[in-house]
mmCIF file of all heavy atoms in Angstrom:
data_model
loop_
_atom_site.group_PDB
_atom_site.id
_atom_site.type_symbol
_atom_site.label_atom_id
_atom_site.label_comp_id
_atom_site.label_asym_id
_atom_site.label_seq_id
_atom_site.Cartn_x
_atom_site.Cartn_y
_atom_site.Cartn_z
ATOM 1 N N THR P 128 4.821 9.809 -9.862
ATOM 2 C CA THR P 128 5.250 8.503 -9.418
ATOM 3 C C THR P 128 6.284 7.888 -10.408
ATOM 4 O O THR P 128 7.216 7.228 -10.055
ATOM 5 C CB THR P 128 3.982 7.547 -9.321
ATOM 6 O OG1 THR P 128 3.033 8.237 -8.661
ATOM 7 C CG2 THR P 128 4.259 6.261 -8.677
ATOM 8 N N SER P 129 5.937 8.160 -11.693
ATOM 9 C CA SER P 129 6.927 7.633 -12.727
ATOM 10 C C SER P 129 8.261 8.331 -12.627
ATOM 11 O O SER P 129 9.272 7.705 -12.687
ATOM 12 C CB SER P 129 6.269 7.864 -14.158
ATOM 13 O OG SER P 129 5.058 7.235 -14.296
ATOM 14 N N ILE P 130 8.274 9.633 -12.306
ATOM 15 C CA ILE P 130 9.576 10.328 -12.168
ATOM 16 C C ILE P 130 10.274 9.811 -10.959
ATOM 17 O O ILE P 130 11.467 9.475 -10.924
ATOM 18 C CB ILE P 130 9.358 11.891 -12.026
ATOM 19 C CG1 ILE P 130 8.860 12.452 -13.437
ATOM 20 C CG2 ILE P 130 10.644 12.537 -11.600
ATOM 21 C CD1 ILE P 130 8.281 13.762 -13.304
ATOM 22 N N PHE P 131 9.547 9.575 -9.855
ATOM 23 C CA PHE P 131 10.096 9.046 -8.603
ATOM 24 C C PHE P 131 10.815 7.749 -8.868
ATOM 25 O O PHE P 131 11.829 7.433 -8.301
ATOM 26 C CB PHE P 131 9.125 8.978 -7.486
ATOM 27 C CG PHE P 131 9.607 8.502 -6.221
ATOM 28 C CD1 PHE P 131 10.227 9.356 -5.333
ATOM 29 C CD2 PHE P 131 9.479 7.169 -5.772
ATOM 30 C CE1 PHE P 131 10.783 8.900 -4.156
ATOM 31 C CE2 PHE P 131 10.000 6.763 -4.627
ATOM 32 C CZ PHE P 131 10.629 7.652 -3.754
ATOM 33 N N ASN P 132 10.065 6.871 -9.541
ATOM 34 C CA ASN P 132 10.578 5.451 -9.810
ATOM 35 C C ASN P 132 11.477 5.335 -10.999
ATOM 36 O O ASN P 132 11.956 4.219 -11.221
ATOM 37 C CB ASN P 132 9.424 4.515 -9.858
ATOM 38 C CG ASN P 132 8.702 4.397 -8.614
ATOM 39 O OD1 ASN P 132 9.258 4.008 -7.517
ATOM 40 N ND2 ASN P 132 7.400 4.598 -8.593
ATOM 41 N N ARG P 133 11.551 6.354 -11.724
ATOM 42 C CA ARG P 133 12.341 6.416 -12.962
ATOM 43 C C ARG P 133 11.831 5.284 -14.002
ATOM 44 O O ARG P 133 12.681 4.551 -14.559
ATOM 45 C CB ARG P 133 13.853 6.292 -12.750
ATOM 46 C CG ARG P 133 14.428 7.648 -12.181
ATOM 47 C CD ARG P 133 15.770 7.701 -11.869
ATOM 48 N NE ARG P 133 15.981 6.841 -10.682
ATOM 49 C CZ ARG P 133 17.200 6.557 -10.187
ATOM 50 N NH1 ARG P 133 18.205 6.824 -10.893
ATOM 51 N NH2 ARG P 133 17.278 5.843 -9.051
ATOM 52 N N MET P 134 10.664 5.075 -14.006
ATOM 53 C CA MET P 134 10.041 4.036 -14.753
ATOM 54 C C MET P 134 8.564 4.303 -14.969
ATOM 55 O O MET P 134 7.882 4.677 -13.930
ATOM 56 C CB MET P 134 10.192 2.652 -14.083
ATOM 57 C CG MET P 134 9.806 1.473 -14.744
ATOM 58 S SD MET P 134 9.585 0.063 -13.666
ATOM 59 C CE MET P 134 11.278 -0.355 -13.389
ATOM 60 N N TRP P 135 7.980 4.143 -16.129
ATOM 61 C CA TRP P 135 6.574 4.342 -16.374
ATOM 62 C C TRP P 135 5.780 3.351 -15.674
ATOM 63 O O TRP P 135 5.995 2.107 -15.742
ATOM 64 C CB TRP P 135 6.163 4.252 -17.835
ATOM 65 C CG TRP P 135 6.693 5.428 -18.616
ATOM 66 C CD1 TRP P 135 7.612 5.324 -19.636
ATOM 67 C CD2 TRP P 135 6.381 6.768 -18.646
ATOM 68 N NE1 TRP P 135 7.959 6.537 -20.153
ATOM 69 C CE2 TRP P 135 7.124 7.466 -19.521
ATOM 70 C CE3 TRP P 135 5.466 7.557 -17.838
ATOM 71 C CZ2 TRP P 135 7.048 8.865 -19.723
ATOM 72 C CZ3 TRP P 135 5.418 8.919 -17.977
ATOM 73 C CH2 TRP P 135 6.189 9.545 -18.927
ATOM 74 N N ILE P 136 4.722 3.836 -14.831
ATOM 75 C CA ILE P 136 3.926 2.825 -14.214
ATOM 76 C C ILE P 136 2.756 2.396 -15.214
ATOM 77 O O ILE P 136 2.524 3.104 -16.063
ATOM 78 C CB ILE P 136 3.301 3.448 -12.808
ATOM 79 C CG1 ILE P 136 2.446 4.650 -13.098
ATOM 80 C CG2 ILE P 136 4.335 3.659 -11.811
ATOM 81 C CD1 ILE P 136 1.459 4.913 -12.031
ATOM 82 N N PRO P 137 2.216 1.161 -14.945
ATOM 83 C CA PRO P 137 1.195 0.641 -15.965
ATOM 84 C C PRO P 137 0.067 1.671 -16.162
ATOM 85 O O PRO P 137 -0.669 1.886 -15.249
ATOM 86 C CB PRO P 137 0.737 -0.585 -15.343
ATOM 87 C CG PRO P 137 1.221 -0.550 -13.923
ATOM 88 C CD PRO P 137 2.358 0.285 -13.844
ATOM 89 N N ILE P 138 -0.146 2.044 -17.378
ATOM 90 C CA ILE P 138 -1.118 3.097 -17.683
ATOM 91 C C ILE P 138 -2.543 2.464 -17.646
ATOM 92 O O ILE P 138 -3.486 3.121 -17.224
ATOM 93 C CB ILE P 138 -0.810 3.776 -19.085
ATOM 94 C CG1 ILE P 138 -1.829 4.879 -19.425
ATOM 95 C CG2 ILE P 138 -0.865 2.686 -20.198
ATOM 96 C CD1 ILE P 138 -1.292 6.201 -19.230
ATOM 97 N N ASN P 139 -2.663 1.173 -18.032
ATOM 98 C CA ASN P 139 -3.973 0.555 -17.975
ATOM 99 C C ASN P 139 -4.590 0.497 -16.598
ATOM 100 O O ASN P 139 -5.787 0.806 -16.425
ATOM 101 C CB ASN P 139 -3.878 -0.940 -18.542
ATOM 102 C CG ASN P 139 -3.401 -1.002 -20.071
ATOM 103 O OD1 ASN P 139 -3.306 0.017 -20.651
ATOM 104 N ND2 ASN P 139 -3.169 -2.275 -20.403
ATOM 105 N N ALA P 140 -3.753 0.173 -15.697
ATOM 106 C CA ALA P 140 -4.210 0.153 -14.241
ATOM 107 C C ALA P 140 -4.612 1.562 -13.770
ATOM 108 O O ALA P 140 -5.631 1.705 -13.059
ATOM 109 C CB ALA P 140 -3.222 -0.537 -13.402
ATOM 110 N N ALA P 141 -3.758 2.558 -14.209
ATOM 111 C CA ALA P 141 -4.127 3.857 -13.793
ATOM 112 C C ALA P 141 -5.426 4.344 -14.418
ATOM 113 O O ALA P 141 -6.147 5.058 -13.681
ATOM 114 C CB ALA P 141 -2.931 4.761 -14.169
#
Side-chain angles (χ1 to χ4, degrees):
Chain P
T128 314
S129 300
I130 291 167
F131 181 82
N132 292 303
R133 283 177 290 173
M134 186 195 283
W135 291 112
I136 61 157
I138 186 103
N139 295 353

